[in-house]
Amino acid sequence: MLQVSREGRLLRLTLNRPEKRNALNGALCRELVAAIEEGDRDPGVGAILLSGAGKSFCAGMDLDEMLTPAEAELGEVHERLFTIGHRVTTPIIAAVHGAALAGGTGLAANAHIVVASEDATFGLTEIRIGLWPFVIFRAMVEAIGERRAVELGITGRIIDAQEAASIGLAHRVTTEVDASASEIAAAVATSSPAAMRTGLRFVAETHGLEWDKAGKLAQRVRRDVFTTADFAEGISAFREKRKPRWPSLNL
């Protein structure tokens, strides 16, 4: 249900239930969480590229499981999955084509960069079946703001890629989504592992922090980064006009 491959420092994860429009059943959710968390623990992984096989990125939750006794267990793995963008320190790039609805929109909201095809559609459609996007709502608020997230939640309307880009849910709309997302992910993967992880950890730690406290944390973290071998190598590589060889890759 999840295809996993590695290209240098790029980890590719492909949802592989095309016959179900890559609907998220419990097994796929667990595999996806495990793969992302394992990749995040690997210092050799510089970026994670998430995509979907077939005509859709992800049509949301597998409704066949939602009314079973296992639903309570599903709630735990859904919580881990739909907060993963806030927890990991390895960039996640999502290549979204076709339908990315409900939980599929939640996956997009958890990605750090979203590249959407021109035919991509997004929506918090849970209200149509008498539900609310409880678990994914926090990530949506982070991505597009509370008022927009509430509007999508109460209307259940489906938006196209251009509107998704206009509200900040997608970063790029293109006719070549796989090539574009792969190019971005490969470029991101060349960055300093130490700087990237420190930066994304800083983003998480400053969430909701008072302005002055966030500023003091920024100064402290920046001073720490100034002393790292990666920063010294970055400066040297820039001056010598060559590609950096990050020391933190060998730690």
Side-chain angles (χ1 to χ4, degrees), residues 9 55 58 76 108 131 145 157 171 186 210 221 235 249:
R9 298 190 63 216
K55 295 181 179 181
C58 175
E76 295 179 7
L131 189 61
R157 71 185 182 91
H171 299 90
E210 293 178 7
V221 173
I235 294 296
L249 276 176

Side-chain angles (χ1 to χ4, degrees), residues 83-92 109-113 138-139 141-143 171 194-210 213-215 217-222 225:
T83 58
I84 204 146
H86 185 71
R87 293 187 292 106
V88 300
T89 55
T90 303
I92 301 172
N110 270 273
H112 299 101
I113 299 174
R138 287 164 293 167
V141 170
E142 286 290 297
H171 299 90
M196 187 68 74
R197 292 179 182 277
T198 301
L200 289 181
R201 192 175 298 115
F202 170 77
V203 172
E205 290 177 354
T206 54
H207 176 69
L209 204 60
E210 293 178 7
K213 291 181 178 179
L217 178 61
Q219 293 180 49
R220 178 177 63 78
V221 173
R222 188 176 68 162
V225 170

Side-chain angles (χ1 to χ4, degrees), residues 96-155:
V96 178
H97 72 285
L101 304 177
T105 293
L107 290 180
N110 270 273
H112 299 101
I113 299 174
V114 175
V115 181
S117 66
E118 292 185 340
D119 73 339
T121 56
F122 303 81
L124 301 182
T125 53
E126 289 87 344
I127 199 67
R128 298 183 180 192
I129 60 169
L131 189 61
W132 178 264
F134 294 104
V135 183
I136 68 176
F137 191 75
R138 287 164 293 167
M140 286 297 295
V141 170
E142 286 290 297
I144 66 174
E146 185 175 294
R147 284 177 63 81
R148 287 193 175 108
V150 169
E151 186 268 331
L152 291 178
I154 63 178
T155 63

Side-chain angles (χ1 to χ4, degrees), residues 40-60:
D40 189 49
R41 289 191 295 269
D42 185 345
V45 173
I48 299 170
L49 178 58
L50 179 61
S51 61
K55 295 181 179 181
S56 296
F57 174 70
C58 175

